[in-house]
Amino acid sequence: MTFRPDQPMSRLDVAIMLVKGLGLQTLLSAKDVVNQSLAFKDLANLSESQLNYLKIVNGFGLMVGGDGISFRPNDAVTRTEAAVLLVRVLGYEEDAKAIQYPRLSFVDAADIPAWAAPSVQVAVQHGRL
């Protein structure tokens, strides 16, 4: 994985970056990680090593997939997904859950999915966006 600011990162690349950045690499060979199964139907082309990274981020609830059956490992991470990940990694998820009616003043606020809007607001409130 090579980071290039002119190219979007895939969801798989972000998962690998999170595991390494959070110092969770030791879990890559842990029996409970290796033996864990993922319910996503779009992972057939991934190596066992790549699957283990996904098992870790999924197990910690950092990246959970969207519809419950697909992870979309090769899709680019969106700004919205990045904001949600940031809130989860920084431990602000409970703050986001407490927001019932998010107020966002971005020009494209209407394009932010309802499931992500509270996390985007929390990221803004904490000066992360």
Side-chain angles (χ1 to χ4, degrees), residues 42-107:
D42 58 350
L43 306 178
N45 295 327
L46 300 182
S47 70
E48 192 62 36
S49 174
Q50 291 170 321
L51 287 171
N52 288 341
Y53 282 100
L54 297 186
K55 290 173 184 178
I56 292 171
V57 296
N58 185 257
F60 277 99
L62 298 174
M63 297 179 80
V64 295
D67 57 10
I69 59 170
S70 60
F71 188 87
R72 303 178 343 270
N74 297 315
D75 285 5
V77 173
T78 66
R79 290 184 311 147
T80 301
E81 290 170 332
V84 172
L85 277 170
L86 183 64
V87 166
R88 289 176 181 165
V89 168
L90 294 175
Y92 298 142
E93 194 167 17
E94 291 303 315
D95 294 350
K97 288 178 183 177
I99 296 174
Q100 292 182 342
Y101 305 103
R103 294 179 307 271
L104 299 170
S105 59
F106 296 110
V107 172

